[in-house]
Amino acid sequence: MVGLLNVQYAIAQDTVYILEANPRASRTVPLVSKVTGIQMARIATQMMLGKKLKEMNLKQKTYHHVGVKEAVFPFNMFPEVDPTLDRK
């Protein structure tokens, strides 16, 4: 795979599982780019056109902050549904 890949993981009893992998990242890339200050879409496009990461003179960065992508569910569309996550 060359380019952007959205991977969803689950961890259970110290084992990492891949739930799904999609060759797209339409919501994730803008968030990661904004949090890191790195133009991920531009880098991915250059890679898809044949350029190698080592040719891009990218520098390792240290961050003193984190970014969190929150899931937003349309619970207002279903007023009879309890949005609380629970084991029942």
Side-chain angles (χ1 to χ4, degrees):
M1 170 71 196
V2 175
L4 299 171
L5 179 67
N6 185 15
V7 182
Q8 294 183 22
Y9 300 95
I11 301 172
Q13 299 174 345
D14 296 327
T15 301
V16 177
Y17 298 92
I18 295 177
L19 299 179
E20 108 183 323
N22 299 302
R24 61 170 173 76
S26 60
R27 291 181 300 266
T28 304
V29 171
L31 172 73
V32 173
S33 293
K34 187 170 187 171
V35 169
T36 63
I38 298 170
Q39 296 179 354
M40 299 292 176
R42 181 179 301 278
I43 292 169
T45 301
Q46 290 177 357
M47 291 177 65
M48 287 186 280
L49 293 173
K51 197 166 188 180
K52 304 291 182 193
L53 276 175
K54 61 185 172 185
E55 298 170 355
M56 295 186 208
N57 297 318
L58 301 172
K59 306 293 183 210
Q60 185 171 347
K61 290 186 170 187
T62 301
Y63 299 95
H64 301 285
H65 63 276
V66 297
V68 177
K69 181 179 161 193
E70 179 183 6
V72 178
F73 300 105
F75 288 114
N76 60 332
M77 300 293 288
F78 306 99
E80 71 280 359
V81 175
D82 180 3
T84 306
L85 297 177
D86 192 4
R87 292 183 190 185
K88 292 186 179 184

